[in-house]
Amino acid sequence: SSNCADETTDVQTPTAITTTPSATTVGVGQPITDTATLTVSNSPATGTVDFELFGPGQCGNLETGRVFSSTVPVNADGTATSAPTPPEATATTGAYDWVAVYSGDDLNAAISSACGDETVNVGSTTSISTTASPDTGIGQPITDTAILTGGTGFTGTVTFTLFGPNPDGCGGTPVFTDIEGVPPGDNQVTSAAFTPTEQGSYDWVASYSGDPTNGPATGNCG
């Protein structure tokens, strides 16, 4: 007879996994992370999550398509976040895919997210420059214009945020926010107009969303 404990079978309960990338659009060489959240019947879950990042068109190809890997323990709250990617992991443009693989433990079954669940678009590094309308009087409309450079075929949106009147620049709550789509075939976007009712200094900040081939960008306050 074999001995008791020579053969043990763990009967585990099903596990669910949801994943969230730190960004869905980034520039070439920019760091990204992935976060997995486990739903288990037997809490707290233990074990590890192995995060695999695959290059464009290579999801699931462990031999040549994997550009980054990070294995981390599961936190007490059932979450795990990968280490950030190094610059060489996202050195080319294209659509990258995360896959998160949970090891399971004695009571909770292993599970993996699927290819295509999390796609991160790595685009050309974009620069944004802005030009505000000239000084004016109370009751006269003001606008901001953003010009995108460093990429081609820009799509997506530009978010214009206006602060003021405030001697501290871009602190506090914005007085105006406007989101404008990038016109087809163009790299220049102008905000809707805002009409100030108080005198003082107003500061614009313009942020480009990025798109599948161009990375995001944000201008500086002032």
Side-chain angles (χ1 to χ4, degrees), residues 200-221:
S201 296
Y202 291 77
D203 286 283
W204 290 98
V205 175
S207 299
Y208 172 54
S209 65
D211 63 27
T213 56
N214 300 288
T218 299
N220 297 317
C221 178

Side-chain angles (χ1 to χ4, degrees), residues 26-30 90-91 93 122-128 148-152 154 208 213-217:
V26 296
V28 167
Q30 296 299 304
T90 54
T93 61
V122 176
S124 300
T125 301
T126 303
S127 296
I128 187 170
L148 306 172
T149 56
T152 58
F154 293 104
Y208 172 54
T213 56
N214 300 288

Side-chain angles (χ1 to χ4, degrees), residues 22 29-35 51 53 67-72 81-90 98:
S22 57
Q30 296 299 304
I32 53 176
T33 61
D34 192 27
T35 296
F51 295 93
L53 182 64
V67 298
F68 177 73
S69 179
S70 172
T71 301
V72 296
T81 299
S82 72
T85 57
E88 60 269 19
T90 54
W98 283 108

